[in-house]
């Protein structure tokens, strides 16, 4: 059996002060036809990435509205996760080779994990490339998954053809494929089986709940930040797509204008990202002996709460990605009322409204210029932060994600009924 991830108890009613009674009632109404539907989410890691952060809230909320929701993670060796990381990069367009041994490694672990998948479910959601072969290697005749859904959290609109040609046959077997934006779907994907759902953040998590500024400053000071001086913060994995090297270059240009500025690069070392350690080393070497650059990660004791503190006390939050599926950290910063200077790519453009909630940039020079502008114009920074918080409240909080999944499941049930397939067996009203 795959490893089951334990989740906390969470109640939809806790979000009522944020989303309002009408939205809470709408969610319960959408969930009613799906009562006791068996839902399984499968991904590659229980911590250290955006997918895990989403699932640790979404799964218990699904359970609270009446679904039998579970979360399991696949198993793999370092060799497998090296292949899956390369696949993540290749599917986003990086020029990498996918040789025979890499293909065999991926197939081996997907087949092995498929055989470990036990139980019967009405909806199985498989997240990202790592376990994308589960359906192919699973005996579907046993009806363990009545509907199979592949959730892609990256941008596959311009993939490396070598990688896409390998993955496309596995992806194409799923009943539905979820992408963050319509154009993210790779070449040849059946448009009729695409669902578009943007990720969300949990406003009640330790990272995103309101943190008093004084508390945030105390935490930042504990890690070497001078709270009396301006602070730039980027929160991300140590990954070439997140461009921490470019962030350091932009910081150095800002520092030439504003000598007191500091930079915090705060990341997380995930179990499915062996490349992260290599890129962390490169980032540290590039930062050199500059005492105003602080590079931190979870092995320094920086957890979700500490990340929230750095976002809370930052004067400007940067997310200088060069490719980005969505970028949960952008919504996290906006939710804390911070202006964001971010790469003009992918799902970031859903969150940063140019000139309203922050600035979209395409170069180190633009990043530095916009950051200086915000540091020197406090009123503008505050106004953008307020607009960003409201934008996130309306569009990028977990209850909206729950709504999108409930609507998808209900739509699949209607497809079942329209094609004459027996409906999902529901418990009696007294159950």
């Amino acid at each position: 059996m795959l490893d089951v991830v334990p989740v906390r108890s969470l109640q939809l009613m806790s979000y009522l002060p944020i989303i309002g009674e009408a939205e809470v009632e709408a969610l319960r109404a959408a969930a009613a036809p799906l009562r006791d539907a068996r839902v399984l989410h499968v991904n590659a890691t229980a911590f250290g990435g955006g997918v895990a952060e989403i699932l640790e809230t979404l799964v218990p909320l699904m359970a609270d509205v009446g679904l039998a929701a579970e979360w399991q993670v696949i198993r793999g060796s370092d060799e497998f996760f090296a292949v899956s990381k390369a696949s993540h990069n290749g599917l986003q367009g990086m020029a990498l080779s996918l040789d025979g041994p890499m293909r065999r490694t991926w197939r081996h672990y997907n087949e092995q994990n498929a055989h470990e998948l036990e139980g019967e479910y009405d909806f199985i959601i498989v997240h990202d490339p790592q376990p994308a072969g589960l359906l192919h290697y699973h005996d579907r005749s046993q009806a363990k998954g009545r509907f199979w859904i592949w959730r892609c959290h990256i941008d596959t609109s311009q993939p490396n053809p070598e990688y896409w040609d390998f993955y496309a046959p596995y992806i194409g077997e799923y009943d539905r494929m979820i992408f963050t934006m319509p154009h993210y779907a790779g070449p040849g994907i059946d448009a009729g089986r695409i669902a578009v759902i943007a990720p969300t953040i949990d406003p009640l998590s330790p990272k995103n709940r309101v943190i008093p500024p004084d508390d945030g400053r105390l935490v930042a000071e504990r890690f070497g930040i001078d709270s009396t001086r301006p602070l730039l913060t980027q929160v991300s994995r140590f990954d070439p797509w997140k461009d921490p090297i470019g962030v350091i270059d932009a910081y150095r240009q800002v520092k030439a204008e504003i000598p007191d500025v500091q930079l915090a690069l705060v990341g997380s070392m995930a179990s499915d990202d062996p490349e992260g350690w290599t890129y962390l080393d490169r980032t540290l070497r590039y930062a050199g002996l500059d005492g105003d650059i602080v590079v931190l990660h979870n092995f320094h004791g920086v957890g979700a709460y500490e990340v929230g503190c750095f976002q809370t006390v930052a004067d400007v939050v940067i997310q200088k990605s060069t490719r980005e599926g969505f970028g949960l950290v952008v919504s996290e910063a906006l939710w804390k009322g911070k202006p964001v200077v971010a790469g003009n790519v992918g799902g970031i453009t859903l969150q940063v409204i140019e000139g309203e909630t922050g600035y979209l940039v395409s170069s180190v020079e633009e990043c530095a210029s916009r950051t200086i502008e915000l540091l020197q114009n406090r009123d503008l920074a505050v106004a953008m932060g307020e607009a960003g918080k409201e934008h996130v409240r309306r569009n990028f909080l977990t209850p909206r994600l729950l709504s999108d999944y409930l609507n998808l499941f209900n739509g699949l049930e209607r497809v079942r009924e329209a094609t004459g397939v027996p409906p999902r067996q529901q418990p009696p009203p007294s159950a």
Side-chain angles (χ1 to χ4, degrees), residues 229-275:
R229 296 161 51 196
L231 174 65
L232 313 178
T233 296
Q234 172 158 306
V235 176
S236 68
R237 288 191 185 194
F238 293 98
D239 179 300
W241 300 111
K242 312 299 183 183
D243 196 20
I245 303 302
V247 176
I248 293 174
D249 285 336
Y251 150 81
R252 287 172 174 160
Q253 292 188 18
V254 173
K255 198 169 186 65
E257 185 82 16
I258 306 174
D260 283 348
V261 75
Q262 304 164 96
L263 172 64
L265 294 172
V266 185
S268 178
M269 311 311 295
S271 61
D272 64 338
D273 185 11
E275 181 189 40

Side-chain angles (χ1 to χ4, degrees), residues 1-2 20 27 44 56 93 109 111 128 146 170 175 192 194 233 246 263 266 308 319 324 328 340 351 364 394 430:
M1 183 175 180
L2 299 182
L27 285 165
E56 69 184 13
Y109 280 99
E111 183 173 12
D128 273 339
R146 195 166 289 179
Y170 298 100
D175 300 298
I194 291 175
T233 296
L263 172 64
V266 185
Q319 187 57 44
E324 189 67 75
L328 292 171
V340 176
Q351 305 167 77
V364 167
R394 292 195 309 266
S430 59

Side-chain angles (χ1 to χ4, degrees), residues 39 99 127-128 135 215 220 298 328 330 333 348 357 378 408 417:
V39 178
D99 61 25
H127 293 261
D128 273 339
L135 172 55
D215 293 354
N298 47 312
L328 292 171
V330 174
I348 290 176
T357 68
R378 177 63 180 168
L408 175 61
E417 294 170 4

Side-chain angles (χ1 to χ4, degrees), residues 411-423:
L412 288 170
E413 291 290 359
R414 288 191 291 272
V415 168
R416 186 203 314 281
E417 294 170 4
T419 55
V421 177

Side-chain angles (χ1 to χ4, degrees), residues 60-130:
L61 273 184
M62 283 186 168
D64 184 64
V65 297
L67 283 65
E70 298 179 30
W71 174 14
Q72 298 179 15
V73 294
I74 60 171
R75 302 187 186 101
S77 64
D78 290 344
E79 181 185 19
F80 169 73
F81 287 120
V83 172
S84 66
K85 180 62 177 183
S87 298
H88 176 100
N89 291 330
L91 288 170
Q92 289 198 135
M94 190 176 284
L96 299 169
S97 176
L98 182 63
D99 61 25
M102 294 170 70
R103 295 168 189 247
R104 287 192 293 273
T105 295
W106 185 87
R107 289 184 177 121
H108 168 75
Y109 280 99
N110 268 265
E111 183 173 12
Q112 188 176 80
N113 281 290
H115 293 158
E116 293 291 324
L117 178 59
E118 298 177 0
E120 295 189 359
Y121 301 94
D122 298 295
F123 304 97
I124 294 181
I125 304 96
V126 176
H127 293 261
D128 273 339
Q130 298 95 323

